[in-house]
Amino acid sequence: MNALTLYPNCSLGGMTSVYLNRCITQPEDGFSFIFLNDKGGMNAFQSLPNTEVRIVRKDRLNSFLEYILDKIEYDEIRLTSLPALPTLLSKIENTKVIYEFHTSSLDIIKKELEQLSLEHVDEIWVPSKYLKVMVEGNLSTPKEIKVVRNLANPEVFNTTSAPKFEYNFPSQEVPIFWIGRFDKGKNYKDFFRALSLLEDKYVGYVILSMENDSTRYAEAIGELAFYNLSNRVKFFLNLSQQEIADFYKSSIKVNGLFCSTSLAESFGYGVLEASMAGLPVVAYDVGGLAEHLEYGYDIKMINVGDTVSLAKAIASLDNKEGLS
């Protein structure tokens, strides 16, 4: 199988993780990728022999596609966040056109469906049963929707292999990992609120991806000062999958855990990867996160906004009284 995938941004997280893990778990298939913007993720594909990656400017995309599709036959063309493209691909024969939704934003789903020419799309893919219901409820005409669960790399996120780099956490410290961006949806403020209710030994490890808005950084620093957490939160930028997994595995000996305060999740990659690496997880019960429980992972689900219960759940995982 030979697939061409198109998506706006090539970063180290987000959709790049989805694509990377497909390449890793399907080594017999060929994957070509076209991104419109290089956001620091190009190197992630370098070691994979079954991939080809290009960055093509948006104003050159149509002409480049016409050129490449005249030269190469693909079994599937997969699109995400590019709803105008299926019309361009309508003349291609014997190639399945797939449109993928990975967003948890209903507004974005509605906006993309308004622009999407469904008659030129063969299938719609979503990563969870939750998102399938969301998309189905907004379709103007029936279309097959398949749940294609996102994959995490088991060679990196597992409980059997040791970290390649051992991070030495202070023995008196309990690290709590949070991953995302400083936006409303990821809801870092509730993470800070919960952390402020815990003893000083609990330290937040905030892993940021594609966060380059200085005003949002400034607001986050202000929140830390407000909750008197300036010395209890550490920031890490654009870590690779291996670096994140090393963090998780190294923290297990000091009772490390993962916390998600997202207000919406179409799938929940962060929760899945942490669980696969052996970390207990505390998360707001939103979107498709509960579907991970079907695979036996240790995830405590908390009602959205209940930061007191969130803090108590974190303390209970340390088997000690941890609330201040």
Side-chain angles (χ1 to χ4, degrees):
M1 195 275 296
N2 192 22
L4 172 65
T5 298
L6 295 96
Y7 182 69
N9 296 316
C10 183
S11 67
L12 279 178
M15 287 304 300
T16 300
S17 294
V18 175
Y19 300 146
L20 276 173
N21 293 325
R22 288 177 182 175
C23 299
I24 292 168
T25 56
Q26 299 168 242
E28 71 285 356
D29 295 329
F31 295 89
S32 296
F33 297 95
I34 296 176
F35 297 99
L36 307 187
N37 307 292
D38 183 1
K39 297 291 186 178
M42 286 286 287
N43 291 340
F45 294 91
Q46 281 186 340
S47 63
L48 299 173
N50 60 334
T51 65
E52 183 178 29
V53 183
R54 294 183 177 91
I55 303 294
V56 179
R57 280 178 16 196
K58 186 176 181 180
D59 60 333
R60 296 180 178 176
L61 181 60
N62 287 6
S63 57
F64 181 78
L65 277 176
E66 290 178 359
Y67 168 78
I68 196 172
L69 294 175
D70 187 54
K71 302 290 183 182
I72 303 174
E73 287 189 11
Y74 295 98
D75 300 298
E76 295 179 355
I77 298 178
R78 304 168 180 177
L79 313 170
T80 305
S81 300
L82 295 168
L85 280 185
T87 302
L88 175 68
L89 305 175
S90 61
K91 298 179 181 179
I92 301 174
E93 297 181 356
N94 303 317
T95 300
K96 181 182 291 186
V97 176
I98 297 164
Y99 198 85
E100 300 190 44
F101 285 99
H102 289 264
T103 179
S104 55
S105 168
L106 183 57
D107 289 340
I108 293 175
I109 290 172
K110 288 180 176 180
K111 184 177 180 179
E112 290 190 12
L113 284 174
E114 288 173 359
Q115 301 175 57
L116 192 59
S117 299
L118 286 172
E119 65 271 23
H120 302 314
V121 173
D122 297 295
E123 290 178 358
I124 293 176
W125 285 6
V126 293
S128 63
K129 292 177 281 188
Y130 163 80
L131 196 55
K132 180 180 180 179
V133 172
M134 282 185 67
V135 175
E136 275 181 336
N138 288 277
L139 285 177
S140 56
T141 57
K143 180 63 61 173
E144 181 180 2
I145 302 179
K146 292 179 64 175
V147 176
V148 179
R149 183 176 167 83
N150 290 337
L151 304 170
N153 186 353
E155 295 180 5
V156 175
F157 296 99
N158 58 61
T159 57
T160 55
S161 65
K164 290 189 175 182
F165 174 81
E166 185 81 33
Y167 189 90
N168 294 316
F169 292 91
S171 59
Q172 74 278 10
E173 179 179 298
V174 178
I176 309 173
F177 294 97
W178 184 96
I179 193 166
R181 301 179 69 184
F182 289 141
D183 59 23
K184 183 178 180 181
K186 289 300 181 183
N187 188 28
Y188 71 91
K189 294 181 181 181
D190 272 13
F191 175 58
F192 290 170
R193 291 184 186 109
L195 188 59
S196 72
L197 299 173
L198 293 161
E199 291 179 3
D200 289 350
K201 68 175 181 177
Y202 292 92
V203 176
Y205 281 71
V206 174
I207 301 172
L208 298 169
S209 176
M210 284 184 63
E211 184 57 82
N212 54 14
D213 188 330
S214 59
T215 59
R216 300 205 301 197
Y217 270 116
E219 184 178 2
I221 297 301
E223 289 288 319
L224 287 179
F226 178 79
Y227 289 109
N228 197 27
L229 292 172
S230 299
N231 295 324
R232 289 177 55 202
V233 174
K234 302 175 183 180
F235 297 102
F236 298 85
L237 305 178
N238 296 323
L239 299 184
S240 68
Q241 288 187 348
Q242 186 63 58
E243 289 169 327
I244 293 171
D246 287 349
F247 257 143
Y248 292 168
K249 293 178 183 181
S250 299
S251 76
I252 289 175
K253 66 181 67 174
V254 289
N255 292 338
L257 56 98
F258 184 89
C259 179
S260 171
T261 49
S262 290
L263 298 177
E265 285 286 357
S266 62
F267 179 74
Y269 236 122
V271 166
L272 176 62
E273 291 175 341
S275 297
M276 288 177 61
L279 286 188
V281 174
V282 178
Y284 280 165
D285 189 359
V286 296
L289 291 189
E291 294 175 35
H292 296 312
L293 294 173
E294 299 171 12
Y295 297 85
Y297 293 121
D298 181 11
I299 306 172
K300 289 183 178 292
M301 294 295 189
I302 306 298
N303 290 333
V304 175
D306 190 349
T307 53
V308 173
S309 292
L310 190 71
K312 287 181 177 179
I314 290 171
S316 72
L317 291 172
D318 190 34
N319 297 316
K320 301 170 187 173
E321 286 298 323
L323 290 176
S324 59

